[in-house]
Every structure is written in structure tokens, then in C-alpha cells.
């Protein structure tokens, strides 16, 4: 078993984003522990602004590390309702707490039913763990 943290209460994408339902039609997004460990030390995070719309499967921003720059892909087509401003001054929070202080953005879709359908297409922790086996 690997020491990569994969909380069971989250949803995951094959592109290494995690999704946490925070309301009837809202979610919080971040990159997984596996993704941050592959990136190395995060030095900069570029994210959309509150009010922007992001499209499922398209880049919503970038995470830059000492090794590379990686796109963060939106798991949903939704409106940005929150951005983690702490990352402007402390991008290393993505490394130290990818599921806590290192979250990226909050999104909202038009209805709970739309969110239910989108989440049903995502991976659970066990499914995500299968794609991170090294």
C-alpha cells in the first residue's frame, strides 16, 4: 500500500483533481496528494477569478513547481464562487495540505441534479487508488 493520502469521502478525476461536495450544487476542488507529490515543491498557482465560468475537461489554471508547470482541469462546467487567496502568498500549502489549506477553487453548477450526475461519473477513492499505483 502506498503512503499517498486518498480520503474516502472525496470524488476524484483521472487528471488528479479531487472534488468535495460542499452544498446542494457546490463543490470544492483541489489537486490530489499523488499529484502534489509528483509535482514537487509548488511555487506558484494561477487560478480563475470569482465569477468566471470553467468548462469540464478544460484547463482552469496552472500549478507551477520547481520541476514543471501542470494544468489543473475542471471536473465540471460551473461558475467559480470562491478562490483560495492564501495560495497567492503561500503556494506551498498545496504540498503541505492538498485536501485542507491547499484547496484551489469552489464551483457551483445550476442544480443539485446536475451535480449528482457529474459526481456519478467521477472515481471514488478505491478507483482513484488503482490509477495511481506506481
Amino acid at each position: 500500500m502506498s503512503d499517498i493520502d486518498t480520503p474516502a469521502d472525496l470524488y476524484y478525476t483521472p487528471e488528479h483533481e479531487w472534488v468535495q461536495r460542499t452544498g446542494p450544487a457546490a463543490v470544492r476542488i483541489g489537486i490530489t496528494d499523488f499529484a502534489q507529490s509528483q509535482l514537487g515543491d509548488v511555487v506558484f498557482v494561477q487560478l480563475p477569478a470569482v465569477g468566471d465560468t470553467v468548462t469540464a475537461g478544460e484547463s482552469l489554471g496552472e500549478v507551477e513547481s520547481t520541476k514543471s508547470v501542470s494544468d489543473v482541469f475542471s471536473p465540471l462546467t460551473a461558475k467559480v464562487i470562491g478562490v483560495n487567496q492564501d495560495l497567492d502568498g503561500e503556494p506551498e500549502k498545496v504540498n503541505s495540505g492538498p485536501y485542507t489549506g491547499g484547496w484551489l477553487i469552489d464551483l457551483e453548477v445550476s442544480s443539485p441534479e446536475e451535480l449528482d450526475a457529474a459526481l456519478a461519473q467521477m472515481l471514488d477513492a478505491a478507483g482513484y487508488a488503482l490509477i495511481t499505483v506506481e
Side-chain angles (χ1 to χ4, degrees):
M1 193 76 192
S2 97
D3 10 339
I4 297 296
D5 189 17
T6 311
D9 61 334
L10 302 177
Y11 298 89
Y12 298 89
T13 71
E15 295 78 32
H16 308 290
E17 286 85 29
W18 58 263
V19 180
Q20 177 185 38
R21 189 175 209 148
T22 56
V27 294
R28 176 161 282 178
I29 309 292
I31 66 168
T32 65
D33 190 31
F34 176 82
Q36 72 78 23
S37 71
Q38 296 295 304
L39 280 170
D41 295 334
V42 174
V43 296
F44 180 73
V45 179
Q46 177 196 354
L47 298 169
V50 171
D52 286 355
T53 298
V54 295
T55 303
E58 294 187 8
S59 177
L60 63 79
E62 294 177 338
V63 175
E64 183 177 335
S65 72
T66 53
K67 292 200 257 185
S68 68
V69 176
S70 292
D71 283 316
V72 177
F73 294 96
S74 182
L76 307 163
T77 296
K79 180 178 176 182
V80 178
I81 58 169
V83 175
N84 188 348
Q85 300 295 334
D86 291 348
L87 300 181
D88 288 344
E90 299 177 89
E92 66 275 7
K93 284 186 171 190
V94 172
N95 294 117
S96 62
Y99 302 112
T100 55
W103 64 275
L104 301 178
I105 63 171
D106 291 325
L107 299 176
E108 186 173 55
V109 298
S110 58
S111 72
E113 295 77 21
E114 181 182 344
L115 184 54
D116 290 342
L119 293 175
Q121 302 300 310
M122 295 180 196
L123 299 166
D124 62 8
Y128 180 69
L130 292 174
I131 67 169
T132 60
V133 175
E134 297 189 72

